[in-house]
Amino acid sequence: MNDYEKEHSDILRRFGAECAVLLKRDVAFPLDGPCSLALYGSGARRTVKGGTGSGEVNSRYFATAEDGLEAAGFRVTTKAWMDSYDEIYAKAKKDFIRGLKRSALKRGTLAVLDSMGAVMPEPEYSLPLNYGDGAAVYVLSRISGEGSDRRPVPGDILLTETEKHDILALDRRYEKFLLVLNVGGPVDLSPVSEVRNILLLSQLGAETGNILADIILGKSAPSGKLSTTWSAWDDYASVGSFGDRYDTRYKEGIYVGYRYFDSAGRDPLFPFGFGLGYTEFEIAAGNATEENGTVSIDVSVKNTGKHSGKEVVQLYVSQPQGKLDKAYQTLAAFGKTEELKPGEEQKLTLSFDLRDLSSYDEERAAWILEPGDYVLRAGNSSRDTDAAAVIRIDGEAVTKKVRNCLGKPDFKDWKPEKPREEAIDGLPVIHVDAAAFRTETVSYELQHPVDPLAETLSDEELCLINTGAFNLKGSLSVIGEASQSVAGAAGETISFKDKGIPSLVMADGPAGLRLSRRYTRDDKGVHAADGGMPESITELMPAPAAFVMKRLGGNGRPKGEIFEQNCTAIPIGTALAQSWNFSFAEQCGDIVGDEMERFGTDLWLAPALNIHRDIRCGRNFEYFSEDPLLSGKFAAAITNGVQKHPGRGTTLKHFAANNQETNRYGNNSLVSERAMREIYLKGFETAVKESRPLALMTSYNLLNGTHTSEHRGLIQDILRAEFGFKGLVMTDWILAVMNMGKNKYPAPNAAKIAAAGGDLVMPGSKGDYKALLEGLKNGTVTRRQLIINATRVLCLAKQKQ
Ligand code: BGC
């Protein structure tokens, strides 16, 4: 390992346990020292470091649970069980892939197109459990990825009969038994809820197994909190639709995640914000104050238990019901303590701007704070808080006037029949004068800077610079194989060497920098030497195509000197958010930024901050949370880490309402303007304002009938005019496949994208180039707009010099 790799993995190992959430515990853990260990479960040896697809990071090494526990000195007594499980798994996998290919053939399509990311349900089997001495650990894994959604079936969201049986049997048999969840999103734990010790380890990248060993031995303490509600499957909301092929109706409006559970009076198994640790804390809220709309509250946190640990304090606000219905409570601020020893105490000040709680009134196209009582509640989970103070606003305040620009769905948003009442007796009241809030207005007349060099470009050159650099023989880009300059990068812009314009190289994430580990170089450029395309994709291809792709990716016979570019696999997005620790997220961004510098990558195609609208979304593991504040703050922290490195930037994605993978190229999200603004766009706004990311990627889906990449309202009015975004807007990887197969809505068109202010059609193809030229001729897009778009590309390209 190189020094930088060592430094990066040390950071992960030091802080990784902060992402892990202890859901249940008795006194059995942490253990006093390594011992004989019965290690079982799908993830014991086949531990998952992150999901599949473009988010899959090729790290040099990866510590599985078995590796980590053995390295820590445990004597694993269940090797024979693991060997037998490996055989069962390999056979099930083979049958599953064969089945996917067969059914695709029947439908007249290709498995690689419409079964990408398909989740293989965990198989049922019967392997005897040999109860030995010592402790027992059962690692339950799930994996999902881009292209498919998860399903509420045994082996995916539900537990299999085998899992239920084995987990319960081990819990009964061993005094010291830990159920470890090595998953990217919720599984329904209701059948095993009696288990005494449950750890949501998550998928923590390269150091996953080592971090698990550290937690079990108490070398580090889990201090994560859920960033998404974990419930029995049947208790999740079924108000809106999910997984429809063409039109998905977000009828639940703003009632997403805990906003639904709390407002509808449903009790989840483990609420949003929940997480135990090895110790106990006492939280006491002190005085609240208000100044110029900013509310602050002091909270003291004392470690009253026997172990050292960190605590996360969360501040929720219940808003008055008025013209607009409100969720029972909204996360307004949070903070994490330092590591506190037993008996130690720390004061935190939690602050938020009241304006950020404004609700969106569609009738007036305005953000408003309604009159009445805003109850502040502090605690260590959304369901464990104490009311601390009331902010009483004496009238209505219109905090911002904007314009509706997102279109209308064909339904009215759902709302709970009867809002929950909040008792405020005896609480201190702070009076706030509504007239003190100034109404912010937005100018939609944007002043676009124009680079004189862009003005000198010919029409053809402008069209070329408005798309990614493509291969004139046709684009070969299938997830991360489209760069001539950096092996395994996802794409790049065209370079005009004679004009001094270099290309911008982009590589995927978000669980690290996705490049090919090994590559060769010749006069045509770089070539991956170990296959840049994820196996989760090549395995779905017909055998001859897979062979060709692997050869193209350099598998097998690389010629010439082999160079290496080893990147660090960091925790998945959901796990990072579970740390509720910005500074760790920023350090992860710093790791990525450092590796971008080393390997010549300019834009990182991450962080991804779509909302966990439904636990079935196959890409939720890449995303942070069901809550917009948490999502936005983490995207900002990571961006700040990456952008410490001059010239390197992040690309927020996927903008917006990209909350399912089923028919992801052609799905239309029907969402109200209010829900879009309060839930799905809010995190992007926070990230843009707090970290100035260099780029942003639109999504594949349509929004109320318009492709997001062609949506001028979304890109110009909201992103640029309202949020003040100054960076580059690119599309998601629009490929020829988007036009294949039966679809209700046509694929987006490069000229319409450019006209909407989308600066770059990625990864770029001859088809996109021709569509742009055609669009210029027929007036779909103006030359001036292409110059404006090109200016934004040039601006970043020039920063490289
Ligand atoms: C994914 C993006 C990714 C891009 C490039 C797309 O299929 O949706 O998240 O950045 O490919 O690999």
Side-chain angles (χ1 to χ4, degrees):
M1 242 202 265
N2 296 308
D3 286 351
Y4 79 88
E5 290 178 83
K6 178 92 184 62
E7 253 171 54
H8 294 174
S9 52
D10 282 352
I11 294 174
L12 299 187
R13 183 133 182 207
R14 195 151 10 112
F15 295 101
E18 294 204 26
C19 304
V21 186
L22 195 56
L23 294 174
K24 290 197 67 187
R25 68 138 209 265
D26 64 8
V27 291
F29 293 89
L31 300 179
D32 294 336
C35 56
S36 290
L37 190 77
L39 181 62
Y40 291 105
S42 48
R45 180 175 283 162
R46 306 189 55 84
T47 316
V48 177
K49 74 176 193 306
T52 61
S54 57
E56 214 170 314
V57 170
N58 303 310
S59 56
R60 180 200 291 269
Y61 79 100
F62 155 53
T64 65
E66 183 186 15
D67 297 339
L69 291 162
E70 285 192 328
F74 284 95
R75 196 172 64 78
V76 174
T77 57
T78 43
K79 295 276 188 187
W81 186 96
M82 284 190 246
D83 293 343
S84 308
Y85 176 81
D86 281 349
E87 281 170 29
I88 290 166
Y89 179 88
K91 174 163 186 321
K93 184 76 193 273
K94 211 164 159 196
D95 293 347
F96 178 68
I97 300 290
R98 213 180 277 150
L100 289 180
K101 287 187 179 169
R102 217 179 289 135
S103 44
L105 210 65
K106 261 196 213 148
R107 290 194 302 273
T109 153
L110 287 173
V112 69
L113 291 186
D114 65 5
S115 299
M116 183 177 158
V119 177
M120 177 181 93
E122 175 62 18
E124 298 280 4
Y125 51 86
S126 157
L127 288 175
L129 301 171
N130 300 316
Y131 304 107
D133 296 342
V137 169
Y138 188 101
V139 185
L140 183 134
S141 292
R142 292 289 188 264
I143 191 161
S144 70
E146 168 171 13
S148 292
D149 287 313
R150 301 177 62 205
R151 289 177 305 144
V153 297
D156 191 349
I157 287 174
L158 307 182
L159 299 179
T160 63
E161 291 306 316
T162 312
E163 287 170 336
K164 287 184 226 168
H165 167 270
D166 289 359
I167 291 167
L168 291 175
L170 291 165
D171 188 53
R172 274 182 220 125
R173 179 66 188 243
Y174 282 89
E175 197 194 311
K176 295 179 177 187
F177 170 65
L178 179 66
L179 169 59
V180 174
L181 306 167
N182 170 224
V183 298
V187 282
D188 180 349
L189 292 178
S190 47
V192 295
S193 59
E194 70 194 63
V195 171
R196 294 154 300 153
N197 293 286
I198 305 180
L199 174 75
L200 166 58
L201 177 67
S202 249
Q203 299 168 342
L204 303 179
E207 289 290 324
T208 303
N210 292 330
I211 296 167
L212 173 64
D214 289 346
I215 292 175
I216 291 181
L217 290 173
K219 290 187 180 162
S220 33
S223 62
K225 304 277 179 188
L226 293 179
S227 67
T228 274
T229 307
W230 276 54
S231 182
W233 164 248
D234 289 339
D235 286 337
Y236 283 103
S238 54
V239 178
S241 64
F242 179 88
D244 309 69
R245 208 169 154 72
Y246 301 126
D247 296 293
T248 304
R249 293 184 167 76
Y250 290 37
K251 285 191 188 160
E252 71 284 357
I254 59 164
Y255 296 93
V256 176
Y258 68 89
R259 287 169 169 78
Y260 168 77
F261 278 89
D262 296 342
S263 309
R266 289 203 181 184
D267 292 328
L269 276 181
F270 301 106
F272 175 81
F274 173 79
L276 305 166
Y278 282 150
T279 189
E280 313 282 339
F281 292 96
E282 216 170 72
I283 296 177
N287 275 347
T289 55
E290 186 274 341
E291 215 186 316
N292 299 329
T294 298
V295 175
S296 299
I297 185 160
D298 293 331
V299 183
S300 79
V301 186
K302 184 171 182 188
N303 184 346
T304 54
K306 295 198 177 68
H307 293 268
S308 295
K310 295 188 175 186
E311 180 62 304
V312 176
V313 185
Q314 303 154 42
L315 183 66
Y316 294 87
V317 179
S318 292
Q319 302 182 54
Q321 304 292 334
K323 176 181 178 213
L324 303 176
D325 52 298
K326 312 283 188 329
Y328 170 66
Q329 60 179 354
T330 304
L331 179 70
F334 56 91
K336 192 164 190 172
T337 64
E338 300 298 325
E339 175 144 316
L340 300 179
K341 295 203 184 76
E344 234 184 313
E345 192 170 340
Q346 188 184 342
K347 277 210 165 39
L348 296 175
T349 303
L350 304 183
S351 303
F352 68 94
D353 191 328
L354 274 168
R355 281 163 280 244
D356 291 338
L357 289 183
S358 304
S359 305
Y360 189 71
D361 181 5
E362 292 179 5
E363 262 174 35
R364 283 184 286 173
W367 289 92
I368 57 171
L369 279 172
E370 299 213 63
D373 291 342
Y374 291 68
V375 184
L376 310 189
R377 226 175 296 101
N380 62 1
S381 119
S382 60
R383 290 288 174 110
D384 193 356
T385 55
D386 287 322
V390 175
I391 306 289
R392 185 164 294 160
I393 305 187
D394 64 0
E396 185 196 75
V398 176
T399 53
K400 192 170 185 177
K401 278 203 174 125
V402 294
R403 63 186 185 205
N404 289 326
C405 42
L406 298 176
K408 270 193 187 302
D410 53 5
F411 55 84
K412 268 203 165 12
D413 284 356
W414 176 88
K415 57 180 177 190
E417 270 165 29
K418 200 168 155 281
R420 269 171 69 176
E421 298 287 328
E422 186 67 357
I424 55 159
D425 304 345
L427 293 176
V429 177
I430 299 173
H431 292 271
V432 174
D433 177 9
F437 293 98
R438 197 180 51 83
T439 304
E440 199 187 322
T441 52
V442 178
S443 164
Y444 292 94
E445 301 311 313
L446 292 167
Q447 300 301 317
H448 298 287
V450 163
D451 187 319
L453 176 60
E455 287 180 304
T456 65
L457 297 176
S458 67
D459 286 355
E460 286 73 15
E461 286 167 332
L462 278 174
C463 290
L464 283 173
I465 211 163
N466 269 254
T467 68
F470 56 91
N471 173 347
L472 274 173
K473 294 193 195 102
S475 173
L476 264 184
S477 174
V478 188
I479 300 195
E481 272 309 304
S483 169
Q484 307 288 303
S485 336
V486 179
E492 62 186 61
T493 57
I494 192 152
S495 69
F496 290 108
K497 294 213 175 81
D498 54 330
K499 298 186 199 305
I501 305 174
S503 63
L504 288 168
V505 180
M506 304 160 190
D508 261 310
L513 189 63
R514 178 178 163 72
L515 297 178
S516 294
R517 268 200 61 220
R518 297 159 68 247
Y519 67 96
T520 57
R521 191 195 294 275
D522 61 19
D523 51 354
K524 293 199 191 77
V526 292
H527 310 280
D530 48 7
M533 193 179 292
E535 203 191 321
S536 53
I537 296 178
T538 47
E539 68 190 4
L540 291 172
M541 294 178 164
F547 178 77
V548 173
M549 284 323 290
K550 281 185 187 162
R551 288 298 296 274
L552 280 174
N555 274 12
R557 289 184 223 158
K559 288 193 204 97
E561 190 183 348
I562 305 254
F563 301 91
E564 287 197 4
Q565 38 188 17
N566 289 294
C567 299
T568 308
I570 62 172
I572 55 168
T574 305
L576 279 182
Q578 282 168 189
S579 76
W580 295 61
N581 180 344
F582 300 144
S583 85
F584 176 47
E586 193 170 321
Q587 287 192 65
C588 286
D590 199 5
I591 289 176
V592 172
D594 176 74
E595 293 174 4
M596 288 170 77
E597 268 189 57
R598 284 172 196 279
F599 306 124
T601 316
D602 306 299
L603 289 175
W604 187 40
L605 303 176
L609 63 152
N610 297 95
I611 291 291
H612 293 171
R613 170 180 177 247
D614 190 298
I615 63 161
R616 286 170 288 182
C617 175
R619 284 186 96 169
N620 273 357
F621 70 94
E622 296 186 51
Y623 309 147
F624 299 112
S625 170
E626 66 189 22
D627 181 76
L629 179 75
L630 204 55
S631 304
K633 293 276 183 192
F634 273 84
I638 292 173
T639 298
N640 286 329
V642 170
Q643 296 191 172
K644 270 185 197 153
H645 299 264
R648 319 289 146 180
T650 61
T651 309
L652 303 185
K653 71 186 186 184
H654 310 88
F655 192 66
N658 183 179
N659 305 93
Q660 77 171 41
E661 289 299 293
T662 303
N663 192 25
R664 64 180 181 148
Y665 301 130
N667 200 272
N668 179 28
S669 299
L670 290 149
V671 199
S672 70
E673 182 111 13
R674 179 179 180 198
M676 274 308 292
R677 287 172 174 274
E678 289 188 26
I679 305 290
Y680 299 101
L681 298 176
K682 194 89 183 173
F684 286 95
E685 178 176 12
T686 305
V688 165
K689 291 185 171 159
E690 294 189 4
S691 64
R692 309 267 154 218
L694 294 191
L696 171 140
M697 184 192 288
T698 52
S699 52
Y700 282 132
N701 55 286
L702 300 94
L703 171 64
N704 296 325
T706 305
H707 270 289
T708 57
S709 53
E710 295 178 347
H711 209 306
R712 210 174 156 86
L714 197 58
I715 298 172
Q716 301 281 46
D717 295 350
I718 295 194
L719 179 68
R720 294 199 190 279
E722 293 182 24
F723 298 175
F725 180 73
K726 300 268 184 290
L728 176 103
V729 175
M730 69 180 81
T731 65
D732 197 346
W733 265 226
I734 293 177
L735 304 166
V737 292
M738 287 184 78
N739 281 313
M740 286 161 83
K742 198 163 77 91
N743 246 327
K744 177 169 167 185
Y745 300 103
N749 164 279
K752 287 192 191 163
I753 292 169
D759 308 312
L760 259 180
V761 181
M762 287 304 294
S765 70
K766 202 169 165 184
D768 298 327
Y769 168 68
K770 281 187 172 161
L772 278 168
L773 276 178
E774 183 59 37
L776 253 187
K777 263 191 227 133
N778 66 26
T780 308
V781 62
T782 59
R783 182 177 154 85
R784 179 166 166 80
Q785 184 66 52
L786 292 185
I787 292 174
I788 291 171
N789 298 349
T791 297
R792 289 191 279 249
V793 179
L794 289 179
C795 172
L796 293 190
K798 283 181 171 176
Q799 279 188 21
K800 285 184 77 166
Q801 291 158 337

